[in-house]
Every structure is written in structure tokens, then in C-alpha cells.
Amino acid sequence: MPQDPTERRVVVTGPPRRSRRSFGYYRPRTEIDEQTTLGHTYVRSLMRIQLRTGLTVFAVLVLLIGPLPLVFAATPDTRRLEWAVLGFGLYPPMVLLARWYVRRAERNERDFVRLVEDR
């Protein structure tokens, strides 16, 4: 008994007619995923700006805390002043500096994602 022509399946093998990736289409995310030189440059620029932010925070901390032993050595016998400066004088600037660092790092990452996703 012959099969009905509508029930017969046809398998077509061969190269696809269109490629998925056109040559005029540019995606930085693909460059990063494939670890090309351009993708490496993108990631390196993000790491460099994050390092610069961290070094800025470190420099401010060194300038803020570094001279304190000299100040304490110059003032004779003032334990209460030392504890007041360490406990109340340094805490608010350090909290503000930490908040600035977190906001700056998040902004750097957000700018990087915007750079990668928008093109």
C-alpha cells in the first residue's frame, strides 16, 4: 500500500543560506566572550578604572590617617584626645569615603555595561 504524499517527511541537508552573524553587525559583548584583543581591551579598561578608584581611596586614607601618629607624638599625655580623634573624628570621613567608593565602582560598572550593551 503506497503512502499518502502529505505524510511523507523530507530531510534537507546542506549549508544554511544565511549566516546568523552579519559582517556589519558589531557586538562588544561577543568580543569579550570570545576573548579577542578588543574584548581584552574593554575588560582591561574597566579594571584600570576600578584600580584607579581604589588607589584614590587608599591615597585619601593614607593622607587622613598617616599623620596621626606624628600628631599624637607631638601632643604630650592626651589619651582622651587620641580616643576622641580615632573614635569620632575618623569614623565619619571613613564612612563617607566608603560610600563614595561603592557608588563610584557601581557607576564604573554601569558605564561599562552601557558601553557593551548599547552598540
Side-chain angles (χ1 to χ4, degrees):
M1 192 160 46
Q3 287 185 343
D4 190 21
T6 57
E7 292 180 20
R8 198 170 10 149
R9 292 185 182 182
V10 176
V11 178
V12 177
T13 59
R17 292 182 182 183
R18 284 190 278 165
S19 66
R20 288 185 173 182
R21 186 175 176 195
S22 64
F23 294 105
Y25 189 63
Y26 171 74
R27 293 208 42 168
R29 184 180 212 177
T30 306
E31 298 287 339
I32 293 169
D33 290 339
E34 293 177 358
Q35 297 179 353
T36 62
T37 305
L38 183 59
H40 178 69
T41 303
Y42 278 130
V43 173
R44 195 174 72 211
S45 70
L46 173 66
M47 299 310 282
R48 188 181 307 134
I49 197 162
Q50 294 290 48
L51 177 65
R52 187 180 310 140
T53 303
L55 289 176
T56 302
V57 169
F58 180 72
V60 170
L61 280 176
V62 166
L63 291 175
L64 185 67
I65 297 172
L68 284 180
L70 297 174
V71 171
F72 293 153
T75 57
D77 221 18
T78 54
R79 295 278 182 215
R80 289 183 184 167
L81 174 67
E82 291 173 7
W83 282 106
V85 168
L86 290 175
F88 300 108
L90 284 181
Y91 188 74
M94 288 178 67
V95 168
L96 291 175
L97 192 60
R99 288 186 68 200
W100 177 83
Y101 173 76
V102 168
R103 286 185 180 193
R104 181 68 184 218
E106 287 175 352
R107 188 178 78 184
N108 292 340
E109 290 176 4
R110 200 169 37 248
D111 290 344
F112 179 76
V113 168
R114 193 175 311 134
L115 172 74
V116 170
E117 295 294 326
D118 279 350
R119 289 196 178 199

